[in-house]
Amino acid sequence: MAITRTEENVSAIEGNVTGRDLSFYNVNARQTLDDAARKLIINYAGVAPEKVDEHVEAVREKAFAIFPYPCIGMFRFLDLSLLQTEVYPEVVRRVEEGEKLLDLGCCFGQEIRQLVSDGVPSENLYGADLREDFMAMGYDLFDDRKTLRTKFIAADVFDDNSDLNQLYGEISMVYTGSFFHLFHYDEQVAVAKRIIQILKPETGVTIIGRQMGNEKSGDYEAAGYVGEKQRFRHNADSWEELWNKVGDETGTKWKTEAVLEDPGVGMGEVEKKLTERRKEGGARRLKFVVRRL
Ligand SMILES: C[S@@+](CC[C@H](N)C(=O)[O-])C[C@H]1O[C@@H](n2cnc3c(N)ncnc32)[C@H](O)[C@@H]1O
């Protein structure tokens, strides 16, 4: 059965966030942006070095007013996570050779800009997100409305009739950062099946990503949120089981490589404190690569 979502109930999808304002996060761009983020804004977006902090802070403020994701409060949208993976050189090579990559839940499209900055053809890259306004804000952050040839698709991953249909069977790699962890287990199964529809039906297609995990897999209430919303957090075994299940149900086979790592590689002091608290409850970051056999 299709799980249909509309823009009107977007907040219900994401859960109720606590009534925090930006000051809760008590961080600024100067303390928080790392060298890679700063380099991207200077070299790719063409912002003068002394203007970077002000530029990034203005976009963060606008985005937080649209939806107050903790990761926006904490500048995580410039934590270039694909760049930090071991498979980044493989991803660059494959896109240069003509394979297509989709960033699912791309937010501002920062991973896409990093790839373009590293020379890959932007027309081989796609971004999809529920929120068109976040993707539009990416053009403001990176000042590339006129040059970027990447197609951004506003779509709810659960909607069977969304514009994601255009990509079915076309994509070789899907990157998905901080995305699966937004959902219940059954919803994660539905997301995985959607990704399988989007990928080319062939050996070697690849899913890369990272998300909050836990040493003990199960349902957890998301930090920064209140209310009923529970999200499923994986360890390497439960992540493999999920892909075995969707494989059985779709007649496909998947090999997962997943590791739990310290979640402390965050941005900002507040996150460090939150992280210490979460770690006591077994929270870790799950990094993964899933390949079709
Ligand atoms: C926590 S952010 C992660 C953004 C980015 N991938 C990163 O790693 O920083 C989750 C993103 O998923 C998008 N999203 C949430 N629910 C969605 C849905 N049902 N379909 C498509 N995108 C969704 C949000 O709008 C948001 O941009």
Side-chain angles (χ1 to χ4, degrees):
M1 192 187 65
I3 306 170
T4 359
R5 311 295 169 92
T6 61
E7 187 56 35
E8 290 75 53
N9 68 7
V10 156
S11 291
I13 296 173
E14 289 158 326
N16 302 313
V17 283
T18 51
R20 289 172 182 163
D21 60 29
L22 265 183
S23 63
F24 168 85
Y25 293 98
N26 195 23
V27 282
N28 60 36
R30 187 181 51 76
Q31 303 162 317
T32 312
L33 300 191
D34 64 12
D35 289 347
R38 216 166 266 286
K39 199 167 137 202
L40 187 64
I41 298 291
I42 295 169
N43 295 345
Y44 178 80
V47 175
E50 67 279 12
K51 298 271 183 205
V52 169
D53 297 339
E54 178 187 324
H55 174 75
V56 171
E57 277 170 11
V59 176
R60 166 183 178 248
E61 201 167 313
K62 256 169 86 180
F64 197 79
I66 292 170
F67 192 83
Y69 274 115
C71 58
I72 291 176
M74 294 183 287
F75 292 95
R76 289 290 289 272
F77 58 88
L78 277 172
D79 185 13
L80 299 161
S81 57
L82 178 56
L83 178 65
Q84 295 161 20
T85 64
E86 287 99 46
V87 292
Y88 188 71
E90 174 191 333
V91 171
V92 170
R93 178 185 51 78
R94 288 173 62 178
V95 182
E96 278 174 346
E97 288 171 1
E99 294 189 33
K100 294 178 178 169
L101 175 140
L102 167 71
D103 184 350
L104 180 62
C106 65
C107 197
F108 300 155
Q110 62 273 16
E111 315 292 347
I112 287 171
R113 270 54 174 228
Q114 180 64 51
L115 283 164
V116 177
S117 170
D118 286 331
V120 315
S122 63
E123 65 272 22
N124 293 347
L125 303 173
Y126 296 79
D129 202 282
L130 183 63
R131 295 186 168 276
E132 193 155 20
D133 36 19
F134 282 171
M135 294 186 288
M137 229 169 275
Y139 292 119
D140 297 338
L141 183 60
F142 296 106
D143 192 21
D144 57 0
R145 201 178 289 274
K146 295 212 178 88
T147 51
L148 190 73
R149 304 221 299 277
T150 293
K151 182 163 191 173
F152 288 102
I153 298 172
D156 178 351
V157 72
F158 298 106
D159 180 355
D160 287 332
N161 298 310
S162 82
D163 285 345
L164 280 174
N165 293 5
Q166 304 163 18
L167 301 182
Y168 285 3
E170 295 288 325
I171 299 292
S172 299
M173 289 175 281
V174 170
Y175 177 74
T176 181
S178 301
F179 189 67
F180 273 87
H181 73 196
L182 299 173
F183 306 114
H184 300 288
Y185 194 88
D186 290 349
E187 291 174 322
Q188 294 188 14
V189 169
V191 173
K193 287 183 178 171
R194 181 74 69 218
I195 289 175
I196 293 172
Q197 278 177 304
I198 289 169
L199 286 169
K200 286 186 166 188
E202 62 188 33
T203 305
V205 292
T206 313
I207 303 131
I208 302 148
R210 70 168 190 190
Q211 61 208 23
M212 284 304 296
N214 201 290
E215 285 180 345
K216 188 169 174 301
S217 63
D219 288 326
Y220 291 87
E221 188 154 323
Y225 292 79
V226 292
E228 298 302 307
K229 183 86 184 172
Q230 297 276 321
R231 291 110 195 276
F232 194 91
R233 298 271 164 82
H234 289 276
N235 58 26
D237 291 341
S238 68
W239 186 241
E240 184 177 6
E241 279 160 28
L242 182 132
W243 284 93
N244 287 340
K245 175 181 166 64
V246 295
D248 287 347
E249 291 175 9
T250 55
T252 56
K253 276 201 182 316
W254 301 89
K255 180 174 177 291
T256 60
E257 289 161 39
V259 284
L260 284 179
E261 58 178 30
D262 197 293
V265 207
M267 299 181 110
E269 281 307 309
V270 172
E271 182 166 40
K272 278 185 202 133
K273 284 188 203 135
L274 282 174
T275 297
E276 282 313 312
R277 242 190 288 148
R278 289 187 202 140
K279 268 168 75 174
E280 287 162 19
R284 297 286 180 274
R285 175 181 283 170
L286 184 81
K287 250 178 45 177
F288 58 85
V289 179
V290 182
R291 295 179 197 267
R292 183 159 174 181
L293 297 173

